[in-house]
């Protein structure tokens, strides 16, 4: 099987009937790039920049960040790199920057909520990203967006920094701007967001947790962490349908994107990009080649109309033999 996958390294990701998808990889630092390239990923669908902050003993300076982002886009040589602005908070802590203790950290002060509150830190990161954008194909997305107001505020700050750099004569690339869909509120309003951004990236790790109100790390409620629950699939479908109506692109960068049970359904729902841990890339490409999009559309429709997580698993097993 591994030998069969290796042959797919330099191939496109197409279904049996020739529909093309993008299969990308997730990274936490420039050190992860060899695995991305060795596995033939077509881009970086999620660069988790908080590791830059977590591995440092001080807030990374603009130049330190610039060097890291530039290294990544240069090594990817024109392939798209989607960089997520830092997602600190929740379970991610920094020794040098004390955030308030909270009773519910996962419902609290994290990610874009911090960035919009401590805007100097956010502006520094955006400047580093904009400068790096001159060296490759860089996209930027904001994590944990719940409301249109948050996205508009983040975009406004981004636009101000872009204009200041342009006035100073700094070279920059065309940057696509998007949000992560991790909060059900944003998934439900995807049609409104779609008019104002370039792309979505669905973060199913958090989206499932917030939709089912269940922490995967907690054994007592782990049974509620149900990726194929039709409620989750309907949220995903809502995002894809709304985005495509506006001609916008939809990626997924949560674990679900590389899950062989989910991939057939996601193909049927029309997801554009699947971004996963690098070792899953070739396996996913191989699976895609065996599946027909017309059949997967029928499967997806049945899955959306199903009642339970287990029913969807059975539908996938019957459709993919
Ligand atoms: C997600 O929530 O699915 C995601 C990709 O973000 P993270 O796993 O970093 O929270
Ligand atoms: Mg997340």
């Amino acid at each position: 099987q591994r030998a069969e996958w290796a042959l797919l390294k330099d191939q496109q990701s197409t279904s049996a009937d020739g529909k093309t998808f993008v299969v990308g990889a997730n990274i936490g630092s420039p050190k992860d790039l060899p695995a991305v390239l060795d596995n033939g990923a077509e881009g970086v669908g999620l660069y988790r920049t908080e590791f830059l902050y977590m591995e440092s003993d001080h807030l990374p300076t603009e130049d330190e960040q610039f060097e890291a982002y530039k290294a990544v886009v240069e090594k990817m040589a024109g392939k798209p790199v989607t960089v997520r602005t830092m997602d600190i908070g929740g379970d991610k802590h920094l020794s040098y920057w004390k955030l308030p203790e909270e009773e519910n950290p996962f419902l609290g002060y994290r990610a874009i909520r911090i960035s919009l509150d401590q805007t100097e830190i956010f502006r520094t990161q955006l400047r580093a990203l904009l400068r790096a954008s001159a060296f490759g194909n860089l996209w930027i997305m904001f994590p944990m967006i719940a409301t249109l107001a948050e996205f508009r505020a983040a975009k406004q700050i981004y636009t101000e920094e872009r204009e200041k750099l342009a006035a100073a004569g700094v070279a920059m690339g065309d940057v696509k701007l998007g949000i992560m869909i991790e909060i059900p509120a944003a998934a439900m309003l995807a049609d409104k967001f779609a008019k104002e951004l370039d792309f979505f990236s669905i973060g199913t790790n958090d989206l499932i947790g917030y939709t089912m109100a269940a922490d995967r790390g907690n054994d007592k409620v782990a049974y509620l962490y149900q990726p194929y629950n039709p409620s989750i699939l309907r949220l995903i479908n809502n995002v894809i349908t709304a985005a495509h109506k506006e001609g916008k692109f939809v990626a997924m960068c949560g674990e679900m994107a590389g899950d062989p049970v989910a991939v057939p359904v996601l193909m049927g729902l029309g997801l554009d990009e699947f971004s996963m841990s690098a070792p899953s890339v070739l396996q996913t490409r191989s699976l895609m080649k065996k599946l027909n999009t017309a059949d997967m559309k029928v499967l997806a429709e049945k899955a959306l109309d199903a009642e339970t997580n287990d029913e969807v698993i059975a539908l996938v097993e019957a459709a993919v033999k």
Side-chain angles (χ1 to χ4, degrees):
Q1 227 179 7
R2 296 216 164 266
E4 180 218 316
W5 296 345
L7 294 174
L8 300 175
K9 193 184 140 186
D10 299 313
Q11 292 195 21
Q12 284 195 309
S13 305
T14 45
S15 64
D17 54 323
K19 178 168 180 201
T20 303
F21 299 92
V22 179
V23 177
N26 299 344
I27 66 168
S29 101
K31 290 183 298 236
D32 300 334
L33 283 175
V36 172
L37 297 167
D38 288 349
N39 286 288
E42 293 158 81
V44 169
L46 168 63
Y47 176 4
R48 291 181 164 100
T49 60
E50 54 274 8
F51 287 100
L52 204 61
Y53 294 70
M54 290 157 74
E55 287 166 3
S56 174
D57 60 5
H58 57 273
L59 271 178
T61 64
E62 181 180 324
D63 281 341
E64 284 167 349
Q65 294 190 55
F66 166 69
E67 292 301 336
Y69 306 150
K70 174 168 173 266
V72 172
V73 291
E74 275 187 342
K75 285 218 181 73
M76 290 307 290
K79 293 188 177 122
V81 174
T82 303
V83 187
R84 172 172 81 185
T85 61
M86 62 95 175
D87 181 5
I88 299 295
D91 56 342
K92 295 161 183 152
H93 302 286
L94 302 175
S95 58
Y96 53 88
W97 182 16
K98 283 277 165 271
L99 293 167
E101 291 278 331
E102 296 180 85
E103 279 201 33
N104 290 303
F106 281 95
L107 299 180
Y109 191 57
R110 70 176 277 201
I112 197 67
R113 300 166 182 190
I114 299 180
S115 293
L116 291 176
D117 184 45
Q118 314 224 11
T119 50
E120 267 324 304
I121 292 168
F122 189 41
R123 286 179 190 275
T124 300
Q125 180 167 35
L126 290 171
R127 280 195 300 274
L129 286 167
L130 283 163
R131 287 168 55 202
S133 72
F135 297 88
N137 185 356
L138 189 148
W139 302 16
I140 297 175
M141 65 180 173
F142 306 123
M144 294 292 295
I145 291 282
T147 68
L148 283 156
E150 285 174 329
F151 172 67
R152 289 172 183 155
K155 185 175 178 177
Q156 171 66 24
I157 291 172
Y158 163 85
T159 305
E160 284 167 18
E161 291 308 317
R162 186 164 185 114
E163 281 167 2
K164 279 190 252 172
L165 288 170
V170 174
M172 291 172 282
D174 277 333
V175 173
K176 289 196 196 304
L177 215 55
I179 64 168
M180 290 203 55
I181 294 283
E182 295 164 288
I183 300 181
M188 291 307 299
L189 286 192
D191 56 333
K192 306 296 179 190
F193 282 100
K195 296 188 197 306
E196 303 187 24
L197 46 62
D198 299 315
F199 70 98
F200 292 104
S201 186
I202 305 174
T204 49
N205 306 340
D206 277 313
L207 183 63
I208 297 165
Y210 290 129
T211 304
M212 305 301 290
D215 173 1
R216 173 161 50 171
N218 180 341
D219 281 349
K220 288 254 190 273
V221 297
Y223 74 95
L224 283 169
Y225 200 88
Q226 302 180 356
Y228 329 111
N229 187 297
S231 63
I232 304 293
L233 300 178
R234 288 185 188 194
L235 286 172
I236 293 169
N237 182 51
N238 192 57
V239 175
I240 296 173
T241 306
H244 287 175
K245 218 172 245 168
E246 296 292 330
K248 304 299 167 69
F249 187 86
V250 189
M252 179 179 287
C253 62
E255 288 300 312
M256 202 170 161
D259 170 353
V261 177
V263 167
V265 178
L266 297 170
M267 287 171 73
L269 292 174
L271 184 70
D272 299 301
E273 175 177 318
F274 298 65
S275 190
M276 59 201 65
S277 70
S280 300
V281 166
L282 292 172
Q283 180 182 359
T284 303
R285 188 172 294 152
S286 162
L287 174 61
M288 284 175 168
K289 284 204 183 293
K290 298 184 175 92
L291 305 176
N292 254 301
T293 47
D295 298 341
M296 295 309 108
K297 229 176 222 153
V298 173
L299 165 65
E301 265 154 34
K302 286 185 191 157
L304 288 172
D305 194 44
E307 295 177 349
T308 66
N309 193 70
D310 285 349
E311 197 183 330
V312 173
I313 296 173
L315 286 168
V316 173
E317 277 169 3
V320 181
K321 284 192 210 81

